[in-house]
Amino acid sequence: MNETIRLYDDAPYETEFDAQVLSVLPGSREGTADVVLDRTLFFPEEGGQTPDCGTMEGMTVEDVQIRNGVITHTVLTGDGELFAEGSTVHGRIDWEHRFGNMQNHTGEHILSGLLHNIYGYENVGFRLSDNTVTLDTSGQLDDEQILDLERRANRVVFANVPVICEYPDPAALAAMEYRSKKDVGPNVRVVTIEGVDRCACCAPHVRRTGEVGLIRVIDVLHTRKDMRLTIVCGERAIGDLQKKAQQLREISHMTNLPQERAADGVRHFQEEIAGLKEKIRAMQQRYADMRLQEILAQAGDNGLKDCWVFEDELDPAVQRHFMNRLLEHPFRYVGVFAGSDTDGWNYVIGSRSQDSGIPGRLLKEQFGARGGGKPVMIQGSVKAAESDLMAAFGELS
Ligand SMILES: [Zn+2]
């Protein structure tokens, strides 16, 4: 089959077209058809970029793929009739999605060009999703260098430099220096942003850099030698800013601080919470020591062998402290349970003379408890009523 004529090459701003149907085959899923046309405005998934979306004769085009130059459109036909081969169809691409991709893609060229010119870094990976672009570079930058890069990239936007897409003849191409992502075919399409970048690329771009609107680096991930930048441009960058600005406004209200200092407010909360936790721990420890005196007095009167304590809330460190203090006295088994009948209990069980695994196994067998440990101490969790647990412990010989 002949290669599909790529209308988007020369007419990236067109949104509607008519074309002749060359072939229609059932798609891989029910209710879909794979359609090949003689020409198309639909940019296929290629070079790391997601395909255009839109409609064909009013039906949704959900995927566009290219193979050996032939572009296949997967159309959601539902129960509708398939197009006849040889007929003419009307296609319409989703302009908002396309233009967002053009803004993001051109913004990526500007950043990659600057990274190459200033630092000599190569673009070693590129992925344009429906929202953001990830860009892998062959070297790393620190935070200040990234801010500087972002400023410079936006100055290229303000300068409104022409973006030229062309297929140079072989002689002209041979004399050209350009960045090349992967091995490119015989017809090399070269995209030039004057004074900034020249790169082999097949995708639609904006006419002038001013149309990119805004370039933002929203995330940086350092790998061992490389760096992955996540960027977002144009209208998608505005959407991203609006979402984040809303979060910042909320944090600012919650912390009662101006937006510029909202993080200080969150830090203050974290410190306050850490301080409160420490206070609670100290109070619980004092409480545990007082409970211990009570328990020892009662146990002495009743001559108890084992000691089981149930409390609704205890810090894990206090729980272990409680158990260790109980182990200083001549009980056979001691256990401290924190929680409730409805939510279940976290427990520690210890013994100085016996194997704590014995009551531990009883908890597992009768109540499906989780946990384990060494003979001197086990810990875990169990969901059961305090009265049932006490009844079971009463049977320990
Ligand atoms: Zn490109």
Side-chain angles (χ1 to χ4, degrees), residues 142-295:
D142 63 27
D143 291 351
E144 189 41 56
Q145 287 171 317
I146 287 173
L147 290 176
D148 176 64
L149 179 76
E150 193 182 56
R151 278 191 293 270
R152 285 169 188 257
N154 282 290
R155 280 182 206 135
V156 175
V157 174
F158 307 150
N160 203 20
V161 181
V163 181
I164 295 152
C165 303
E166 59 188 341
Y167 288 93
D169 60 53
L173 186 69
M176 261 182 197
E177 243 184 69
Y178 58 93
R179 294 190 300 113
S180 172
K181 275 166 196 159
K182 272 178 249 155
D183 54 310
V184 277
N187 289 321
V188 179
R189 186 167 181 266
V190 174
V191 178
T192 305
I193 301 172
E194 279 172 19
V196 180
D197 188 42
R198 177 169 277 164
C199 179
C201 182
C202 53
H205 299 76
V206 297
R207 278 177 292 229
R208 299 184 79 96
T209 56
E211 290 182 60
V212 174
L214 179 63
I215 299 176
R216 297 205 53 235
V217 178
I218 56 171
D219 202 13
V220 184
L221 183 75
H222 287 283
T223 47
R224 207 150 6 126
K225 281 193 311 205
D226 308 345
M227 173 178 72
R228 169 168 289 184
L229 301 180
T230 302
I231 67 172
V232 64
C233 304
E235 188 147 352
R236 292 174 193 170
I238 304 291
D240 182 74
L241 272 177
Q242 287 175 335
K243 259 197 305 207
K244 289 172 182 169
Q246 177 60 27
Q247 290 288 313
L248 192 53
R249 270 197 299 279
E250 286 179 28
I251 296 169
S252 162
H253 285 152
M254 287 190 258
T255 55
N256 247 330
L257 283 172
Q259 293 182 10
E260 297 83 343
R261 290 179 48 218
D264 291 341
V266 174
R267 213 167 289 124
H268 175 76
F269 281 153
Q270 287 178 325
E271 287 163 7
E272 202 169 82
I273 289 167
L276 285 171
K277 276 188 177 165
E278 194 41 54
K279 246 183 214 164
I280 289 169
R281 207 164 12 242
M283 284 168 71
Q284 284 190 350
Q285 188 133 327
R286 280 208 297 279
Y287 166 79
D289 289 340
M290 289 189 320
R291 278 284 287 141
L292 183 75
Q293 296 314 315
E294 262 175 39
I295 289 164

Side-chain angles (χ1 to χ4, degrees), residues 11-224:
Y13 286 80
E14 294 290 323
T15 58
E16 299 192 34
F17 68 104
D18 289 313
Q20 201 187 359
V21 177
L22 298 186
S23 90
V24 182
L25 293 170
S28 54
R29 276 191 307 115
E30 187 129 345
T32 65
D34 291 338
V35 181
V36 177
L37 308 172
D38 65 337
R39 62 189 61 216
T40 189
L41 269 183
F42 281 92
F43 180 76
E45 179 167 9
E46 191 173 14
Q49 177 164 336
T50 52
D52 279 333
C53 19
T55 59
M56 194 180 292
E57 290 297 306
M59 295 185 229
T60 301
V61 175
E62 66 161 19
D63 192 19
V64 189
Q65 295 291 326
I66 185 166
R67 205 167 184 185
N68 301 325
V70 177
I71 295 175
T72 302
H73 311 73
T74 301
V75 180
L76 281 179
T77 54
D79 302 330
E81 265 193 35
L82 295 183
F83 324 117
E85 284 176 17
S87 66
T88 299
V89 289
H90 188 72
R92 184 197 298 259
I93 59 157
D94 177 339
W95 174 245
E96 196 181 319
H97 179 261
R98 156 68 76 78
F99 187 61
N101 275 3
M102 282 160 59
Q103 288 182 311
N104 261 344
H105 195 128
T106 310
E108 182 271 329
H109 278 243
I110 295 170
L111 277 173
S112 292
L114 291 173
L115 278 164
H116 189 257
N117 299 346
I118 303 168
Y119 300 102
Y121 293 169
E122 298 299 335
N123 177 333
V124 293
F126 166 79
R127 176 91 199 135
L128 197 162
S129 77
D130 290 332
N131 283 309
T132 56
V133 181
T134 58
L135 164 61
D136 298 333
T137 63
S138 62
Q140 302 191 326
L141 299 182
D142 63 27
D143 291 351
E144 189 41 56
Q145 287 171 317
I146 287 173
L147 290 176
D148 176 64
L149 179 76
E150 193 182 56
R151 278 191 293 270
R152 285 169 188 257
N154 282 290
R155 280 182 206 135
V156 175
V157 174
F158 307 150
N160 203 20
V161 181
V163 181
I164 295 152
C165 303
E166 59 188 341
Y167 288 93
D169 60 53
L173 186 69
M176 261 182 197
E177 243 184 69
Y178 58 93
R179 294 190 300 113
S180 172
K181 275 166 196 159
K182 272 178 249 155
D183 54 310
V184 277
N187 289 321
V188 179
R189 186 167 181 266
V190 174
V191 178
T192 305
I193 301 172
E194 279 172 19
V196 180
D197 188 42
R198 177 169 277 164
C199 179
C201 182
C202 53
H205 299 76
V206 297
R207 278 177 292 229
R208 299 184 79 96
T209 56
E211 290 182 60
V212 174
L214 179 63
I215 299 176
R216 297 205 53 235
V217 178
I218 56 171
D219 202 13
V220 184
L221 183 75
H222 287 283
T223 47
R224 207 150 6 126

